[in-house]
Structure formats: C-alpha cells, structure tokens
C-alpha cells in the first residue's frame, strides 16, 4: 500500500498492473440497488434537476470555497494523491453555446482515486476519503485552464439524457432557412393551439355573446397574439416565447363578468361587460408597464424564487377544477373521449416518431381536438342530437315540453353547429381598436386586475428563466427581465384597446413546447406570428373555431390546466425539492390556496340560494355574498374577489414564507441571473438579448432595462 505522504513518490509497479480483486465499489451496488445515502436526512439538489456536484457532506457542500452560487457554477480542481495528479488532463473552460454539452457526463465527478463517483449515489466511505484528501490540499485560486462545470439547472428529456444545448435542434439565433423555419414555426404554434383559442370560447358565452361575437373575439386574439409576439421577440426579453391570452387573467375576468351589477342585465350584455373588462385591463397594463420600465421589477425579483413561482403557477391550473369535469358531464360521450385521446397521445404514444418527430407528443391537443370534433360533427349530421319539436336557440322560458327541457342541454353542449357559426362570420374582417365601444373604467375592477398583473409577472419570470436555459447562452440579466415585463404591460394595453377580454402575457406552455419540439429559433416564432396575423384577417377562421362545442372545450381545458399545474411545480427542480423547509412552504401554499378561497366562495350560500349562474361559475360570484362587509362597497368587492382567487393566496403565502423562513441560497434555489457587466463583455449574450436596429443605444441611459 502506498504511503500517505504526498511528498513521497511511490515506486512504480509492474506494467500492465494486475487486476485487483477488491470488493465491488459502493457506487456500483448503490446504482444497482437504488440505494441513496442521505447524510442530512433531506434530498440534495441534484435530485431536483440540477447537475450534481460531488457531495462530500452537507456541511462541506455549503461551506465549499469553490462553490460560486452567484455565478451558478462550481470550480473543480485537480487533486494529488500519493504525489500523482488524478483525473483527466487540463481542459479549457466549457464553452456556453453549441459546443457545450452541459457538463456531458451527467454530473459524474472524479474521486481522488480516479474512480467515477455518481452524484446521486455517493457512498459515505468514498465521501470521507475525498474529504480527507481535499483537506490536505492547500487553498489556491483556480487557473484559467482548469475545467469549469456548469451547474445551472438542466433539462432531462424522455430518453434520460441530461444536457443544456446539445439536444436542441435550433437555438435562439439559428436561421436554418425559410422552409425549416416555416415548418418548425407552424409546429410550435400548432402544439400550443389550445392556449390561444380556448379562453375566448369560455368568456364570450359567459358574457352572453353569440357565435358572431365569439368569432370576432377569436380573430382579435389571433391578431394580438401575432403582434405582441413580434414585439416581445424584438424589443422585450427576445426569447422565443409566444404571447397570448393567459390563464392567469381568466379567473379575475370571470369574477368581473359575474359581478352583481351585471347579473341583473337582460338581453345581449356582451358589449357592456367587454367594455368593463377593457377599462380594467388598460389600467392594470399601464401599472405593469411602469413596474417593468421603472426598474421596480428588479427589486421585486429578489423576492421571487422557484419556491414562490411553483405554487403560484400551479394554483392557476388548480383553480378551475369546478369548471372541468362538471362541464364534461353535460355530454359525457364526447368529453370523456376527448380527455382519453389526449392522455393516450401524450403519454402512451409519446415516444413514437414519424420522420424524426414525436408527432403524438407534440400534437396531442390538436389531434385530440380534430378527432373528437369530427366525431361530434358526424353525430350531429346524422341526427343523433336532433329532437323533434325542440329548438336549441329558443329561450328557456319559451320551452314548454318536458321532452325538450330534458334534451335541450345535451343539444347545446354536444351539437356542432359549424354551418351556423361559419354563416355568421364574414370572409374578411380587420379587428380594430375600440371595436366594442369606449372602455368603461371602475377603480375597484382595475385594482383587482393590477394585483393579477403582478401574478402574471411572476409567471413570466419562471418562463424566462426556464426557456433561457434551453436556448440562450446565459440567463437574462435583471434589466432584460424588467424590459420584458414592461413590454408585456404594453402588450396587455394593446389587448385592452382591441378588446380580447384578457391580458396578454407569456404563455407558460412555451417551456414544455420548446423542450419537446427542440426548436428554440427566434425567427421561427416570428414567422409563425406573421401567419397568425394573416389568419386573423380571415373571418371564417374565427367562425370555424367558434363552432367547437362547449364540452370539447372543457375536455381540452382539463388537459391544459393539468399541464399548467405540472409546469408550475416543475420549477421546484431548481431548488432542493426534498428539503423539509421547501416541502412545508409549497404544501401550505397549495392547501391554503384551495381552502381559503373555498371559505370565501361558500360563505353566505344556503341550499335555498337561487344564483343566476351555472354551478361551475358560482365560485366567481363571491363579490355578492363574501364575508367582508364593511361600509365601503368598493373595498368589499376588492377584498372578497382577491381573497377568493387561488393564485393570489398561493403567491402571498409562498412569498412571505420563502423570504422569512431561514434557508441557504442553494436550498431555496435562488434564480441565477446574468451579471450586467459580465453580459456586456460577452458578444454571445449581447447578441441574444441586445435590442435590434440600434435601439439599445438610444436607451443606454436606462440602466435598469438593458444588459
């Protein structure tokens, strides 16, 4: 056995050395048996999606002088054992763009005896030996030619490979050609189709609108999505993120639609309520623009971490449970088929590739929509949902026959009246600002939307961070993030002027789409946005979408809200997901986000209450019967409405607990943003996030919204 004195070089043995009959290393049996030692009793960070660092112990991990949490990476050094240098030869720093493999080894470090040690299954003896050897090393600065391991959170694809850029087909600034860009752009927008068109199909009927109103709002949404996406990829964060109607704005929009003053309106109240929504959106979007462009977002950014983003975004998806299956139950033979098809495509057939594309995983929503829609259309055409003497368009008060009263709901929810919807839509129509009339401003509704715009900004922060790790050279700087939030405010202002019914924001589903399609080219997103603008001018497109039955819309929304909840919780992979601190914070945030709003929504409702809204909209009429009843009606409206929104409660609980309960930066998973001075010196970062057409030079004095 060699001497432990590092200054004494041992005598070389025979060559080649005889194989040792040593016992199987702990890492081997640990990998085979699945044994994971937990020295601190809690899961380490590598278990939550990050490239692991060699873990000697919990205490050493947090006090490691080579661990640079601010820069988001750890510097490894070559160690000498028995007077010999172990590990590979000196390597240049890992580059950040296409030749980077994201730490290609899946987070495997080299132990002091030259054997590979897995980060998730490091045995205690090996860790102790490493610690002892490292303790004999004098502290020194890392030279430029030593290996730098990138430990920013990575994405693991379905095949189990962990990498940062190597699995992407096209990155942020790639321009492979017009045909590939067109195909991938079409694929990207088609895979996210549900998020673009489903919100108008919910809010317009709730406002009392008809097929023509729904068609016009859908066309307006397509136009605004195309325009705002072009603005965002050019003058916002410049990441390949589609802008559109966000689910964050859906719950407050439904709360405003079901306000007590609107429930008493008779006839077509669509335009009146739409003007109220426009006024609230215009004020809240101006507030969000000020929040971003003033630099206040950079201050608020210190409070927003993965433990805050995860339950907040998850609560957005969970808040619509009362709308999902109750609506599907109105036509179970269509709604259940819709859900089963989407689940079958996205899970059981997700690994089937056609011409190198995972068609069923990428197009699960549009494929399920097309098949179910076609089935419903055929059933309607053959007369399955036609009942003699029953008119689906007749008012309920005019229906006398019990036979018709029983079957009218099935006719309304199951029938596909495509001919009626297409007939009411013109061939060409240009959506124009203030098309519904002059907006109406009420301060109580505007304040509700201002709070919701903060939640939307929190959602966008998580999307910016996750997408930048996939497609960009580095995460954006706080200034670039503030610039993106400010532009989202301006985009919501445009949406309010045109009248889409909801604000414009970064769609959370972008991150999943980029990871699945492996397409992160900014040019493909911009070309797809131009196609959306052209489609918005064709009125028949909006009419065709407006003919989707309510039950199919509910089935698709169940899947979309499920994805939204899962994507929100996936932000925990940037923190120590197994930490008891984080588990309690996230659990409390989610539970209270369901329980507290339930108290407000059920307060004052008795079995004899005769509410004028369907059962799935009853959670949004809380303003008329909430527990807060002061002498100020406007204050009652604001507090009862806000405290009945699940995402608001989740955000308040998470942001307070995460910023007051002690925890290390690594445990909390604090988001790592690029340093502005470092970003200015790196040409790749400047090209990724710099403003085009020399616009950045005109606003160089605005330090807080630039690189």
């Amino acid at each position: 056995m060699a001497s432990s004195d590092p200054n004494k070089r041992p005598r070389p043995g025979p060559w080649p050395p005889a194989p040792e009959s040593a016992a199987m290393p702990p890492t081997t049996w640990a990998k085979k048996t699945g044994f994971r030692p937990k020295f601190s009793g809690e899961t380490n960070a590598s278990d939550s999606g990050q490239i692991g660092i060699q873990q000697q112990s919990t205490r050493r991990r947090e006090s490691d002088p080579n661990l640079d949490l601010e820069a988001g990476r750890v510097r490894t050094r070559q160690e000498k054992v028995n007077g010999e240098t172990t590990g590979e030869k000196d390597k240049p720093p890992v580059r950040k763009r296409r030749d980077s493999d994201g730490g290609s080894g899946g987070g495997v470090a080299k132990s002091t005896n030259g054997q590979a040690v897995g980060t998730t299954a490091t045995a205690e003896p090996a860790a102790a030996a490493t610690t002892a050897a490292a303790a004999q090393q004098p502290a020194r600065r890392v030279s430029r030619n030593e290996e730098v391991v990138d430990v920013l959170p990575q994405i693991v694809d379905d095949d189990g490979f962990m990498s940062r850029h190597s699995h992407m087909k096209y990155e942020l600034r790639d321009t492979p050609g017009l045909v590939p860009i067109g195909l991938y752009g079409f694929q990207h927008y088609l895979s996210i189709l549900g998020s673009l068109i489903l919100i108008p199909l919910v809010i317009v009927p709730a406002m009392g609108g008809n097929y023509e109103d729904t068609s016009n709002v859908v066309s307006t949404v397509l136009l605004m999505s195309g325009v705002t996406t072009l603005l965002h990829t050019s003058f916002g964060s410049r990441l390949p993120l589609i802008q559109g109607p966000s689910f964050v704005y859906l719950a407050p929009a439904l709360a405003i639609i079901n306000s007590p003053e609107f429930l008493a309106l008779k006839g077509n109240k669509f335009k009146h309520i739409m003007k109220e929504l426009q006024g609230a959106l215009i004020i809240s979007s101006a507030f969000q623009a000020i929040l971003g462009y003033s630099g206040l977002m950079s201050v608020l950014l210190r409070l927003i971490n993965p433990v805050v983003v995860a339950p907040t975004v998850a609560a957005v998806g969970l808040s619509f449970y009362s709308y999902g299956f109750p609506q599907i139950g109105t036509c179970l033979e269509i709604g259940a088929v819709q859900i089963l098809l989407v689940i079958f495509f996205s899970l059981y057939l997700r690994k089937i590739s056609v011409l190198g594309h995972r068609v069923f995983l990428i197009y699960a929503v549009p494929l399920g929509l097309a098949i179910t829609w076609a089935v419903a259309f055929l059933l309607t055409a053959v007369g399955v949902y036609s009942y003699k003497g029953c008119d689906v368009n007749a008012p309920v008060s005019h229906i006398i026959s019990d036979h018709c009263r029983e079957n009218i709901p099935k006719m309304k929810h199951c029938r596909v009246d495509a001919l009626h919807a297409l007939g009411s839509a013109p061939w060409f129509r240009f959506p124009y600002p203030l098309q519904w009339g002059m907006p109406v401003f009420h301060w109580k509704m505007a304040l509700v939307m201002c709070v919701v715009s903060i939640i939307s900004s929190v959602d966008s922060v998580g999307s910016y961070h996750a997408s930048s790790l996939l497609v960009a050279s580095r995460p954006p700087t706080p200034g670039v993030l503030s610039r993106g939030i400010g532009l989202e405010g301006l985009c919501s202002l445009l949406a309010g002027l045109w009248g889409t019914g909801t604000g414009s924001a970064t769609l959370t589903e972008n991150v999943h789409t980029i990871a699945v399609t492996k397409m992160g080219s900014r040019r493909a997103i911009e070309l797809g946005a131009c196609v959306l603008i052209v489609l918005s001018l064709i009125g028949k497109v909006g009419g065709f979408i407006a003919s989707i039955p309510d039950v199919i819309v509910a089935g698709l929304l169940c899947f979309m809200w499920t994805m939204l909840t899962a994507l929100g919780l996936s932000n925990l992979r940037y923190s120590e997901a197994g930490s008891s601190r984080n588990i309690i914070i996230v659990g409390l945030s989610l539970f209270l986000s369901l329980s507290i709003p339930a108290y407000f929504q059920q307060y004052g409702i008795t079995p004899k209450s005769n509410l004028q809204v369907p059962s799935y909209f009853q959670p949004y009429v809380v303003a008329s019967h909430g527990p807060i009843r002061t002498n100020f009606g406007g204050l009652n409206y604001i507090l009862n409405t806000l405290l009945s929104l699940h995402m608001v409660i989740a955000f308040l609980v998470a942001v307070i607990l995460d910023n007051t309960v002690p925890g290390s930066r690594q445990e909390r998973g604090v988001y790592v943003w690029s340093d502005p001075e470092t970003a200015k010196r790196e040409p790749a970062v400047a090209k990724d996030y710099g403003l085009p057409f020399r616009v950045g030079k005109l606003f160089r004095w605005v330090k807080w919204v630039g690189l």
Side-chain angles (χ1 to χ4, degrees):
M1 182 175 181
S3 174
S4 60
D5 187 0
N7 297 324
K8 183 177 179 180
R9 187 177 183 86
R11 180 177 300 177
W15 186 263
E20 297 182 1
S21 58
M24 186 168 53
T27 55
T28 304
W29 61 259
K31 288 181 179 179
K32 289 186 176 181
T33 60
F35 171 74
R36 294 188 179 188
K38 298 179 181 178
F39 305 117
S40 64
E42 294 184 354
T43 308
N44 46 52
S46 63
D47 290 337
S48 58
Q50 292 178 327
I51 286 187
I53 308 168
Q54 184 176 354
Q55 303 168 354
Q56 290 109 9
S57 68
T58 302
R59 288 175 295 180
R60 176 169 177 78
R61 179 185 61 190
E62 297 196 8
S63 62
D64 189 357
N66 292 325
L67 181 62
D68 189 357
L69 291 175
E70 295 289 341
R73 56 186 181 180
V74 64
R75 299 177 177 85
T76 60
R77 60 188 182 186
Q78 292 179 331
E79 301 181 9
K80 292 184 177 181
V81 179
N82 301 332
E84 296 182 355
T85 302
T86 63
E88 299 176 0
K89 296 182 179 180
D90 293 348
K91 294 182 180 180
V94 180
R95 294 186 63 188
K96 295 290 182 182
R97 284 199 63 81
R98 185 170 293 279
D99 53 348
S100 169
D101 59 357
S104 64
V108 177
K110 291 286 183 178
S111 67
T112 55
N113 59 1
Q115 294 176 340
V117 180
T119 59
T120 59
T122 306
E124 188 170 4
T130 305
T131 306
Q136 300 176 4
Q137 296 288 341
R140 62 182 180 86
R141 298 181 61 183
V142 181
S143 61
R144 293 176 58 89
N145 61 344
E146 290 186 348
E147 183 179 9
V148 179
V149 180
D150 190 355
V151 297
L152 286 171
Q154 308 296 304
I155 300 298
V156 182
D157 60 15
D158 288 337
D159 295 326
F161 295 103
M162 183 179 294
S163 61
R164 184 173 181 180
H165 290 300
S166 59
H167 72 292
M168 295 296 295
K169 294 180 180 178
Y170 299 110
E171 297 175 17
L172 185 60
R173 290 180 280 113
D174 291 344
T175 54
L178 183 61
V179 175
I181 283 179
L183 292 177
Y184 280 104
F186 175 77
Q187 168 183 275
H188 196 95
Y189 278 86
L190 189 60
S191 63
I192 210 169
L193 179 66
S195 301
L196 293 175
I197 66 172
L198 294 181
I199 290 182
L201 302 181
V202 175
I203 63 172
V204 175
M207 289 188 283
N210 51 29
Y211 280 122
E212 184 179 0
D213 298 326
T214 305
S215 173
N216 293 337
V217 173
V218 169
S219 298
T220 305
V221 165
L222 295 179
L223 175 65
M224 285 295 99
S225 179
V227 171
T228 55
T229 300
L230 289 176
L231 290 175
H232 191 82
T233 55
S234 300
F235 306 105
S237 69
R238 305 217 67 198
L239 291 168
L241 299 174
I242 299 175
Q243 307 295 298
S246 174
F247 288 117
V248 175
Y249 288 96
L250 179 56
L254 291 174
I256 293 177
I257 291 170
N258 293 284
S259 298
E261 52 264 46
F262 301 145
L263 294 178
L265 295 177
K266 302 297 182 181
N268 190 346
K269 53 185 179 180
F270 165 74
K271 289 187 177 181
H272 182 80
I273 300 179
M274 178 62 81
K275 290 186 290 185
E276 297 276 356
L277 286 174
Q278 286 182 265
L281 285 172
I282 290 173
I283 295 178
S284 66
S285 59
F287 168 77
Q288 188 180 17
I290 294 173
L291 182 68
Y293 286 124
S294 66
L296 292 176
M297 191 63 203
S298 298
V299 179
L300 182 62
L301 198 61
R302 302 171 186 175
L303 305 177
I304 302 174
N305 297 308
V307 180
V308 177
V309 174
T312 302
V313 178
V316 176
L318 292 175
S319 61
F320 300 105
Y321 67 90
S322 63
Y323 183 87
F325 209 83
Q327 186 77 314
I328 293 175
T330 58
C331 187
L332 195 58
E333 64 269 22
I334 299 295
V337 171
Q338 172 71 81
I339 292 182
L340 292 176
L341 281 175
V342 175
I343 293 175
F344 187 71
F345 290 150
S346 60
L347 293 178
Y348 294 98
L349 302 182
R350 72 185 190 279
K351 291 190 176 182
I352 296 179
S353 298
V354 178
L355 300 178
H357 299 275
R358 294 185 178 180
V359 176
F360 296 102
L361 178 60
I362 297 173
Y363 304 120
V365 171
L367 280 175
L369 171 62
I371 295 174
T372 313
W373 200 358
V375 171
F377 180 82
L378 291 176
L379 293 177
T380 304
V382 299
V384 174
Y385 301 120
S386 298
Y387 300 94
K388 185 176 180 180
C390 301
D391 184 7
V392 70
N393 298 316
V396 179
S397 58
H398 294 175
I399 301 176
I400 302 176
S401 172
D402 293 336
H403 173 71
C404 291
R405 286 181 180 272
E406 181 181 353
N407 293 298
I408 283 294
K410 183 176 287 291
M411 295 175 65
K412 286 184 176 181
H413 294 93
C414 300
R415 288 177 58 87
V416 178
D417 293 323
L419 296 179
H420 180 70
L422 291 174
S424 61
W427 274 104
F428 298 100
R429 181 183 182 274
F430 181 77
Y432 54 91
L434 305 180
Q435 56 188 327
W436 316 117
M438 189 61 62
V440 178
F441 300 93
H442 283 100
W443 66 274
K444 59 180 183 180
M445 299 177 184
L447 286 179
V448 170
M449 281 296 186
C450 286
V451 176
V452 173
S453 67
I454 298 178
I455 308 297
S456 174
S457 302
V458 173
D459 183 11
S460 297
V461 167
S463 299
Y464 291 173
H465 184 265
S467 61
S468 66
L469 297 181
L470 284 169
V471 302
S473 56
R474 280 179 178 269
T477 64
V480 171
L481 189 142
S482 296
R483 187 180 72 199
I485 297 299
L487 189 65
E488 285 192 15
L490 295 181
C491 292
S492 291
L493 180 62
L494 294 178
L497 290 173
W498 260 259
T500 60
T502 59
S504 177
T506 298
L507 300 180
T508 311
E509 297 82 353
N510 275 288
V511 178
H512 175 259
T513 303
I514 292 174
V516 171
T517 62
K518 300 178 174 55
M519 193 285 303
S521 173
R522 188 161 51 207
R523 294 289 178 259
I525 299 298
E526 293 172 344
L527 183 59
C530 295
V531 174
L532 277 189
I533 295 176
V534 174
L535 292 177
S536 69
L537 305 179
I538 305 175
K540 296 297 183 183
V541 173
F544 188 68
I545 295 174
S547 67
I548 301 178
D550 295 341
V551 65
I552 295 182
V553 173
L556 291 177
L557 284 174
C558 285
F559 182 78
M560 301 304 299
W561 290 329
T562 301
M563 287 293 302
L564 186 61
T565 302
L567 288 171
L569 294 176
S570 68
N571 283 275
L572 291 175
R573 70 184 183 272
Y574 305 125
S575 66
E576 292 193 358
S579 165
S580 61
R581 172 193 182 274
N582 297 344
I583 289 175
I584 295 174
I585 291 176
V586 174
L588 275 175
S589 302
L590 288 177
F591 178 78
L592 293 180
S593 71
L594 296 175
S595 185
I596 294 178
Y599 166 73
F600 278 79
Q601 294 165 5
Q602 298 172 10
Y603 186 89
I605 296 181
T606 62
K608 297 181 180 180
S609 298
N610 185 18
L611 297 177
Q612 302 176 8
V613 296
S615 60
Y616 45 82
F617 283 151
Q618 288 183 7
Y620 306 105
V621 296
V622 66
S624 61
H625 59 80
I628 299 178
R629 301 179 182 180
T630 65
N631 295 329
F632 302 96
L635 181 62
N636 298 341
Y637 181 92
I638 294 172
L639 294 180
N640 283 324
T641 301
L642 288 178
L643 295 179
S644 67
L645 298 178
H646 303 76
M647 56 188 174
V648 174
I649 301 299
F651 172 71
L652 291 176
V653 174
V655 76
I656 292 173
L657 293 180
D658 185 53
N659 290 278
T660 56
V661 177
S664 65
R665 292 177 59 87
Q666 184 175 1
E667 183 180 22
R668 297 172 63 195
V670 176
Y671 282 133
V672 179
W673 307 106
S674 297
D675 179 68
E677 297 300 326
T678 304
K680 291 178 181 178
R681 294 193 297 266
E682 293 193 13
V685 180
K687 291 179 181 179
D688 283 346
Y689 301 110
L691 295 176
F693 312 118
R694 299 185 178 181
V695 177
K697 294 184 178 180
L698 299 177
F699 297 95
R700 186 175 296 176
W701 56 275
V702 189
K703 301 294 184 182
W704 52 86
V705 292
L707 291 179

